[in-house]
Amino acid sequence: SFFFSNCRLDANLGFQQSNRREYSHPEQPYQDVPGLFLQLNTFNYDIKYFLPELHKWSVAVGINGMYQTNDVTKGTEFVIPSYQQFDIGSFVTLKKEIKNWNFSGGLRWDSRSFNNKELYTKANAISSFDEAVTGNDTIGANQVFSNYFTVFNGFSGSLGVSYVFNKQWAVKLNVARGYRAPNISEISANGVHPGTGFFQIGNGNFKPEFSNQIDVGISYSSKKVEATASVFVNRIDNYIYNQRLAAANGSDSLSQSGSQNYPTYKFRQGSVLLYGAEASIDFHITQQLHFDNSISLLYGDNNSFTGAEKTAATQYIPFMPPLRYIAELKYEMPMLPKLFDKPYAKVQW
């Protein structure tokens, strides 16, 4: 962080490397040969500039994103291709308080450039495992992935307002437009996912997701009780979800990889409506003893299908979480000097 007279510049830079190996050849002498081998390098950057306050307006501008490379050529199983990806986003946020009112908002522009690399494989003459090949060795080889380049762009933003009636009650309203670019699996996957055992297929024609959301909430706070409740509605265009492919007889569509057949899943896009509610209430039974409760409910309607296509199996978005309720009884123990910092004991259901 760099401090100037009335402003501040924050810079956060980071690098990480992830080497992921999954071993699927238990037989001698290949037990040390990784099936899946991904080498992922990620450079993150985040730069924010906080301008001097003017008429109680707090303004910040900045850019952030990442540069990422992935190499898959050292393994014998290939779910995604090697790729390069560069993300950049620029934004401005504003905040202001006027008596009991609090206003906040922001605008953001994002861009993702994505470069897929072609991949050819041949079976090793000794082990029979597939290996990545280049140059003249690609003649007669199996082309698993093709060269692919695309750019995703999109604007997002939000505007929120809250009103504090008194020390106990407050209400809030927020409207927002969201943006999300597809990821590597959703675009280019073409192989057996090692974690699920599915043959996963991506789609290079995907567009970015865009959402329009509104949520309304109310909160109450006192010495004995703290409570919040909110409802939201969120319409998402080009929503990406995973769908099992069915054969003509209704059973799983199977794809062959090696000597085995796997259920086939394919990412697809459509228009969906998400809506739900959440609430929490925390009882301060004593100064140290708290009884906290929270509940949330989410529905996902799939509007991608119409007419005969809309059935009991297609009218909802897959993988929506069920009704979720959490109860927690927590006791904050008295301070024990020089031994523990804020010790507590709790039980949760």
Side-chain angles (χ1 to χ4, degrees):
S1 294
F2 302 90
F3 297 89
F4 306 98
S5 55
N6 294 315
C7 50
R8 185 176 90 246
L9 177 68
D10 287 352
N12 191 349
L13 309 176
F15 174 80
Q16 57 184 322
Q17 183 180 90
S18 172
N19 291 299
R20 175 175 173 175
R21 301 176 180 88
E22 298 205 2
Y23 296 90
S24 53
H25 308 303
E27 64 274 15
Q28 293 280 355
Y30 304 113
Q31 72 272 17
D32 293 328
V33 178
L36 190 74
F37 194 150
L38 308 178
Q39 188 173 67
L40 181 67
N41 297 312
T42 305
F43 171 73
N44 297 92
Y45 63 96
D46 183 10
I47 301 172
K48 296 187 183 74
Y49 183 69
F50 298 87
L51 280 71
E53 212 172 81
L54 181 63
H55 302 299
K56 295 187 177 180
W57 280 100
S58 299
V59 181
V61 296
I63 60 171
N64 57 22
M66 69 175 180
Y67 175 70
Q68 195 171 67
T69 64
N70 189 40
D71 181 15
V72 306
T73 59
K74 298 177 182 178
T76 63
E77 300 170 3
F78 308 96
V79 188
I80 58 174
S82 299
Y83 69 91
Q84 294 175 327
Q85 178 181 303
F86 178 66
D87 292 355
I88 185 170
S90 58
F91 61 89
V92 57
T93 62
L94 303 94
K95 294 181 181 179
K96 186 171 184 176
E97 293 185 13
I98 304 176
K99 294 184 179 179
N100 292 6
W101 294 91
N102 187 301
F103 299 91
S104 63
L107 289 173
R108 181 181 176 94
W109 174 84
D110 279 279
S111 178
R112 167 173 290 181
S113 59
F114 181 84
N115 188 9
N116 225 69
K117 295 183 179 179
E118 64 180 5
L119 177 69
Y120 290 86
T121 64
K122 275 186 178 179
N124 183 286
I126 300 175
S127 67
S128 76
F129 301 148
D130 286 340
E131 295 180 345
V133 293
T134 59
N136 294 331
D137 291 335
T138 60
I139 299 175
N142 178 39
Q143 185 175 16
V144 184
F145 301 104
S146 302
N147 283 323
Y148 174 80
F149 177 80
T150 190
V151 177
F152 301 105
N153 296 303
F155 278 97
S156 56
S158 68
L159 178 62
V161 58
S162 64
Y163 182 78
V164 180
F165 291 97
N166 47 48
K167 291 183 179 180
Q168 285 78 38
W169 291 96
V171 294
K172 66 176 183 178
L173 169 68
N174 192 80
V175 292
R177 169 182 168 87
Y179 157 88
R180 174 184 174 272
N183 62 36
I184 173 65
S185 295
E186 295 163 345
I187 298 173
S188 303
N190 184 30
V192 179
H193 191 290
T196 62
F198 301 153
F199 192 98
Q200 187 66 63
I201 302 175
N203 190 329
N205 296 320
F206 277 165
K207 300 176 182 178
E209 296 179 341
F210 290 99
S211 70
N212 295 285
Q213 175 170 317
I214 182 170
D215 58 88
V216 182
I218 186 170
S219 63
Y220 173 80
S221 178
S222 70
K223 290 183 178 180
K224 292 295 184 181
V225 177
E226 290 184 5
T228 64
S230 62
V231 295
F232 71 91
V233 178
N234 189 1
R235 176 185 171 87
I236 306 179
D237 295 317
N238 306 324
Y239 181 84
I240 299 174
Y241 60 97
N242 210 8
Q243 185 180 43
R244 177 181 63 88
L245 299 185
N249 61 2
S251 62
D252 286 349
S253 176
L254 301 178
S255 296
Q256 186 173 5
S257 179
S259 60
Q260 297 184 18
N261 292 321
Y262 298 90
T264 306
Y265 279 70
K266 187 172 184 178
F267 289 110
R268 61 177 298 158
Q269 268 188 326
S271 175
V272 307
L273 184 69
L274 303 180
Y275 53 96
E278 57 186 10
S280 67
I281 183 167
D282 183 8
F283 297 99
H284 303 292
I285 301 173
T286 67
Q287 186 175 357
Q288 284 82 31
L289 186 61
H290 297 253
F291 182 44
D292 193 9
N293 302 263
S294 64
I295 189 169
S296 61
L297 183 63
L298 174 65
Y299 289 97
D301 293 345
N302 193 343
N303 298 322
S304 308
F305 299 94
T306 58
E309 286 185 315
K310 191 156 191 174
T311 65
T314 61
Q315 64 178 330
Y316 301 113
I317 293 298
F319 304 117
M320 290 291 102
L323 175 70
R324 179 179 176 88
Y325 169 69
I326 299 176
E328 179 181 283
L329 191 64
K330 182 177 181 181
Y331 178 70
E332 297 174 351
M333 300 176 186
M335 296 297 292
L336 301 175
K338 299 181 181 179
L339 186 59
F340 296 110
D341 181 28
K342 299 178 181 179
Y344 65 88
K346 73 176 182 179
V347 57
Q348 188 182 79
W349 178 77

